[in-house]
Amino acid sequence: QVQLVESGGGLVQAGGSLRLSCAASGSIRSFNTMGWYRQAPGKQRDMVARITSGGSTDYAASVKGRFAITRDNAKNTVNLQMNSLKSEDTAVYYCYAFVSDFHGGRDYWGQGTQVIVSA
């Protein structure tokens, strides 16, 4: 009964900004890593940004300097601030969470939210 609920997607002009949010709920109290992946039509789903419970971040080279990922461990939420958007950022964006304990590692995914950047 773990659910990741995303919000904030939509249509924006090139050069504009969007802020994506993801809220996790259910039986898991906290996640080791949370992040965002994206998938354009006909392309592979790739990591955009991720952040550990300790605050360490990792970004895809194509978004570094334009996107910023943050999280609130107490609320189990993760956000992605996207600035200076380009047409190549158009994709379905998926929230991701990972938890590891003595049972093993488990991945969780959101339903995806569409981001369209117009020329």
Side-chain angles (χ1 to χ4, degrees), residues 20-22 34-36 51 69-71 76-80 95:
L20 305 182
S21 297
C22 174
M34 300 186 76
W36 294 90
I51 184 168
I69 187 169
T70 58
R71 69 183 286 177
N76 273 345
T77 60
V78 61
N79 302 311
L80 185 68
C95 181

Side-chain angles (χ1 to χ4, degrees), residues 54-91:
S56 297
T57 59
D58 190 23
Y59 295 92
S62 59
V63 307
K64 188 174 295 184
R66 299 189 296 119
F67 292 8
I69 187 169
T70 58
R71 69 183 286 177
D72 185 330
N73 292 335
K75 298 180 179 179
N76 273 345
T77 60
V78 61
N79 302 311
L80 185 68
Q81 179 66 47
M82 305 186 294
N83 299 322
S84 301
L85 283 162
K86 306 174 181 179
S87 60
E88 52 262 45
D89 295 318
T90 296

